[in-house]
Amino acid sequence: MTNLSKTTFQAALAEGFEVSFEMFPARTEAGRQALCAMARRLEPFGPEYISVTYGAGGSSRDSTIETIKALKAAVSIPICGHLTCSDASREETLEVARIYRELGITHIVALRGDPKAGETVFRAHPQGFANAAELIAALRGTWPDMHISMAAYPEVHPESPSPEADLENLRAKFAAGANEALTQFFFDNGLYRDFLARARAAGIDGQIVPGIMLIQDFFKVRNFARKCQASIPPWLEARFAGVAMDSEEHKLLTAAYAIEQVLDLAACGVRRFHLFTMNKPELAEAICRVLGLARD
Ligand code: FAD
């Protein structure tokens, strides 16, 4: 999979890498303190930012806001809030963005959100934004200086009629004012490379940062991947076959895979990575060390 030569990696190290971390919000004070401790542990690696997700249908609105507040007080890393427009009017959605701004947040990951539980197709709130492009346009119109990230799908969004339609949606989101895209996780780097090539061929030249799932529990990730329609290659499935979740072997295999994936992308010229931490610091820290981000 990797044909990385030592010289190439030395050159990449010299150019330098950037990482950002994604966390999900904590619902309790103890949980927030644990996330703050994690953020302090990751701070010395100089991440670009930490983003805090927004629960499906806005279900975590308050805990996202409280987690952002706690992280902002704990570390000097820029904090970014995710925001979805499902199950809320335009005004309610923009109100959350206003609260973010009052907290000093100048970076939002703007998303549509998933269909409600039990439904396969998204239905917009009658007074709500119909999709992420509409939300991005409203954020850009209200805050011209806002940094806006958006989602992209190397394996095509599950509701999209075709790869071409999905690329057109990506183009529309850049046109609406997004600064960059963060991808859904993928386990075969060829999917990201092909997606990037298709986007470039279609004249989309904005940044598309790979989202890297740091696997904590392969069997949970496999279920989650099914929901998002992110494929698991047979060779990865085979690696974990018969390996107990709590075993040392499982831990070693997850670390080996994460490092392999990141190094292979580095060999292809990737210099920025968005890491889905699953709120666990160890693998995120290991990746930072591999990418030469450790500071004395
Ligand atoms: P959109 O870009 O609006 O696209 C959704 C679908 O609608 C696509 O199939 C698109 O092709 C289609 N579409 C859009 N506009 C049109 C149009 N005008 N006409 C026809 N079709 C159209 N979810 C959360 O709930 N909270 C989070 O914090 C969160 N964080 C995420 C972070 C990342 C990095 C990623 C990749 C996803 C995240 N998600 C999150 C999941 C996301 O909300 C879902 O994938 C959702 O189903 C789509 O959101 P979107 O912003 O990509 O939607």
Side-chain angles (χ1 to χ4, degrees):
M1 188 180 167
T2 302
N3 55 2
L4 192 67
S5 78
K6 204 172 171 194
T7 345
T8 310
F9 189 56
Q10 293 295 354
L13 276 177
E15 277 175 41
F17 292 99
E18 286 181 308
V19 293
S20 48
F21 302 119
E22 185 168 310
M23 296 179 177
F24 46 86
R27 292 191 183 277
T28 62
E29 183 52 32
R32 285 190 281 279
Q33 286 317 310
L35 284 186
C36 290
M38 173 171 164
R40 282 191 208 98
R41 187 165 161 180
L42 296 173
E43 192 167 25
F45 298 106
E48 254 186 286
Y49 61 90
I50 292 176
S51 76
V52 182
T53 62
Y54 197 76
S59 56
S60 78
R61 179 187 183 276
D62 294 344
S63 43
T64 295
I65 291 169
E66 290 307 314
T67 301
I68 287 175
K69 274 189 204 164
L71 286 170
K72 269 199 79 74
V75 289
S76 56
I77 306 167
I79 308 297
C80 153
H82 291 218
L83 180 60
T84 70
C85 42
S86 52
D87 252 354
S89 67
R90 287 177 168 78
E91 195 38 49
E92 286 163 344
T93 303
L94 290 177
E95 178 56 23
V96 179
R98 261 178 231 118
I99 295 171
Y100 285 172
R101 284 296 282 211
E102 281 164 22
L103 295 174
I105 302 302
T106 54
H107 181 177
I108 288 182
V109 181
L111 305 140
R112 186 199 69 180
D114 281 322
K116 281 187 190 162
E119 295 184 5
T120 48
V121 175
F122 177 83
R123 276 184 294 138
H125 182 284
Q127 281 86 44
F129 296 109
N131 51 45
E134 284 192 5
L135 170 62
I136 291 166
L139 292 173
R140 176 58 67 229
T142 315
W143 294 284
D145 62 333
M146 180 83 82
H147 190 91
I148 304 173
S149 303
M150 54 140 151
Y153 302 87
E155 294 186 73
V156 181
H157 185 268
E159 291 166 59
S160 190
S162 68
E164 294 73 25
D166 214 32
L167 272 187
E168 282 316 308
N169 184 42
L170 188 70
R171 189 198 306 282
K173 292 195 281 188
F174 272 121
N179 296 91
E180 63 180 8
L182 307 173
T183 76
Q184 182 59 283
F185 59 85
F186 52 89
F187 296 105
D188 175 346
N189 287 347
L191 293 166
Y192 171 76
R193 286 194 288 266
D194 290 351
F195 175 60
L196 203 60
R198 284 192 292 110
R200 300 303 182 232
I204 299 169
D205 56 9
Q207 279 236 40
I208 302 178
V209 181
I212 305 294
M213 173 59 79
L214 301 181
I215 302 173
Q216 308 293 336
D217 175 341
F218 178 72
F219 306 99
K220 266 195 197 149
V221 161
R222 189 170 53 183
N223 288 340
F224 186 40
R226 265 192 209 120
K227 280 191 203 148
C228 309
Q229 295 186 21
S231 60
I232 307 260
W235 52 262
L236 187 59
E237 188 82 53
R239 262 192 213 181
F240 284 90
V243 176
M245 152 50 200
D246 290 330
S247 64
E248 277 303 306
E249 194 183 6
H250 181 279
K251 225 186 222 174
L252 286 170
L253 286 172
T254 56
Y257 172 69
I259 292 169
E260 232 174 83
Q261 180 174 35
V262 162
L263 287 183
D264 182 63
L265 289 168
C268 302
V270 174
R271 298 291 177 265
R272 285 182 66 195
F273 297 93
H274 184 66
L275 306 179
F276 300 117
T277 67
M278 307 308 282
N279 290 7
K280 299 267 194 282
E282 293 82 4
L283 261 182
E285 194 174 325
I287 295 293
C288 289
R289 290 185 181 282
V290 166
L291 295 177
L293 297 171
R295 292 190 194 149
D296 298 331

